[in-house]
Amino acid sequence: MQLVIVESPAKAKTIEKYLGPGFKVLASYGHIRDLPPKDGSVDPDNGFEMLWDNYADKAKQLKAITDEAKKADGLILATDPDREGEAISWHVQEVLAKKKVLPSKVGRVTFNAITKQAVTDAMKHPRALDVDLIDAYRARRALDYLVGFTLSPVLWRKLPGAKSAGRVQSVALRLIVEREREIEAFRAQEYWSVKAGMEHKGQKFDARLNQYLGKKLDKMDLKNEADAESARLAVESGQFRVESVETKPVTRSPQPPFTTSTLQQEASRKLGFSASHTMRIAQGLYEDGAITYMRTDGVQMDHSAISAARKSIADRFDNGYLPEKPRVYQTKAKNAQEAHEAIRPTDFTKDKVGSGDHGRLYDLIFKRAMASQMASARMERTTVDLLDGTGQTGLRATGQVMKFPGFLAVYEEGLDDSDSEDGAILPAMAVGDLPAKHAAEKTQHFTQPPPRFSEATLVKRLEELGIGRPSTYASTIQVLKDRAYVRVEKNRFFAEESGRLLTAFLERFFERYVAYDYTAGLEDQLDEISGGRADWQTFLESFWRDFKPKTAEVMEQKPSEVTAELDIFLSPYLFPEREDGTDPRLCPKCGEGRLALRGGKFGAFVACSNYPDCKYTRKFAQPGGDAGEDTGPEVLGQHPETQLEVSRKSGRFGPYFEMGEGADVKRASIPKDVPAEDIGLEWAVKLLSLPRTIGTHPESGEPVTASIGRYGPYLAHAGKYARLQSTTEVFETGMNSAVVKLAEALANPGRGRGAARAPLKEFGKHPRTDAEIKLMEGRFGPYVTDGTTNATLPKSISADELTLEEAAQLIDARAAMPPKGKPKKKAAPKKKAAPKTAAPKKAAVKSKPKAKAKK
């Protein structure tokens, strides 16, 4: 029997069906072990030796693999055809060898598609594990570990509020932050344009002013309305004659089939998918055998696939849509791995697969692959120049006509932030014609700042710079979101305060390690290792030699010294020069103190040097001016019942109301759905009065209350809860409505906040077990669970900021711990054996006869 190891159970089931009797196919469920998240997992002083730990949640699967390996005649490692797949195979082989159950015959096979022919052909050509790829994997994993576990503690101690930094993650964040800076530094310039409405032989068209006062007109030449109006009058008063007609044929060729990067970009542009969602859907399509492997830099298709695509084109279109020769593509991407095909359908006779997002993504892949082998599109672009009788004022009209659509009949690539417009269809005109002019109008314009990055443009830029690997972009971007370093609005990245501060810190103290060229250079060196042209340990030694002393140097500085350095570094941003020449650091409240960057428990802010006499503060993310200022507590008045002073303040989690002092102080957060204009004493009194008792439940006789908790407004009754939709409902819900809502919550425990078992948050599938992970509220605080293992959240981790990977690690760590009570049972025999005499002797006596009997 041959034991075959793949990653996923879906893949295992399909492949076992293809191979038939004599083969046992098991899934590893991804990686079976990793570097434990603790100091010492990589030892730079001992040749960068790595201590690998098996994932606790993989124990059952590892046992199954081990048991089958004992009976197997041979082991076939058939994990994915990339570096990660090679690493997973290596881990499986290492673990089995350590357990001394590794079969004598071990082979490695790869296939680019999960089809019967691809799988059976691969099984005929096994090879040994690629040591160079494994070394590159070890170098990359050690490098990321050393950066993360060396740099992150520096951040925690020197930059309050910072969560983590990463080799690629921090550089991607820098791109987003720098774009934000460009936008803020941008100063719009005014310019005008003039356009004339024309008509010839009954067909209307537009012509724009391109010559004025005998000179060619550039885009920015009409700087104000007065100049534009003069130009408009010149156009309006002139009679224009066709001076020239130029027609040029234009040919557009199709783009190559998708790579990992271009698939993420197009899915973002056309389908609105995030990079991580795109890769999840593509993984499903691959495992279903619908598409080829989705992690690739290659742009070429297999010869048989090209033939199948050409046949499909011939079946759907006439011969004009099929080029004489197959198209051959070569990648332009830096550090590309062209050993794999581009992403394409495994069967070009299937133009539809699946439904929903799976169907939409497959449709995109199918059309792109088919279009890549189709004929070029042919267009005709026409430019008509018109001149008035004086020869001083000229107009230009442009348009294009599609002569043959070619590949555009199937697919057209999306564009990023393009201002181009397809030219209109123009009437047939000849030199000397005098088109009629209907009206002339002027239009005001302003130059626009560079657009913020979308997922598509960020992925494209990272790939252009040669930073990271396309297969890791999805997880990198997800970390930036999970850490709240960025936020996404209308599919655009906005740098958050924490992200800007972290980037400034890294640029000031670790400039080399967030430099684009340096990070891309590391990728080049990793590729040298994977190609067998460099040694992985030598590479790590070179990196560690400079990186470790730098982190130690920064760690020795006091937090106040770090803040002072950042104050200077960020001065042009935080305190830009004012047009009136006044001191930008002068406190606007007291008029005496100077503003400076300060570090607090919850992050950085700008404050007056006269504190505590002057309590002026400003958010870090608000450069200059008075925007975002917080001049301290705002006294709203006295509470009508207690006569205590009520004030409005700002804290780590936003604005709140406060009443009283010391042990008797009472606070209430200001909900986001309360209109800003309504936030005053009346709302303060209402919120500070919570919880509100609605009355006594007609059936139980227990009180029913309404209040606002950590996860929003809710009803409470006898330990049961029901969610409310708004803050207003907290004060307006009556007993009848409350009884109904509580009953509905009890009947539907999965909905609302009601049945205490309702999850506070659903993270998705565990990256290694596929079990659904949820955040729950427990008796002793929030905890995460995968349905089998529960793990309490440490106090150092905020439930609001918890990521999927962190939740999975907590569950893994808890699963690896012995069950409660087990240590006590082990300790019991030691107490009984306290005399240390009889028991050991009896054991020794008994063992000797047994040994003789065996002989």
Side-chain angles (χ1 to χ4, degrees), residues 493-569:
F493 287 110
F494 288 74
E496 292 284 28
E497 176 180 324
S498 57
R500 299 188 68 139
L501 186 61
L502 173 60
T503 297
F505 175 84
L506 295 174
E507 286 178 318
R508 170 60 186 83
F509 296 102
F510 295 92
E511 181 180 10
R512 179 185 185 188
Y513 302 100
V514 289
Y516 303 134
D517 290 345
Y518 178 79
T519 308
L522 291 179
E523 291 296 338
D524 290 338
Q525 293 178 64
L526 288 167
D527 283 338
E528 290 294 300
I529 295 170
S530 66
R533 297 179 295 276
D535 177 70
W536 69 280
Q537 289 163 310
T538 303
F539 161 72
L540 289 173
E541 284 171 4
S542 175
F543 170 81
W544 190 246
R545 190 184 307 119
D546 297 324
F547 184 70
K548 179 59 176 176
K550 184 63 179 176
T551 56
E553 175 190 326
V554 178
M555 186 67 89
E556 289 176 1
Q557 297 192 40
K558 297 178 182 178
S560 58
E561 294 173 340
V562 171
T563 303
E565 288 290 335
L566 289 176
D567 178 82
I568 298 171
F569 183 78

Side-chain angles (χ1 to χ4, degrees), residues 834-845:
K836 298 183 181 178
T837 53
K841 287 182 179 179
K842 287 180 181 178
V845 171

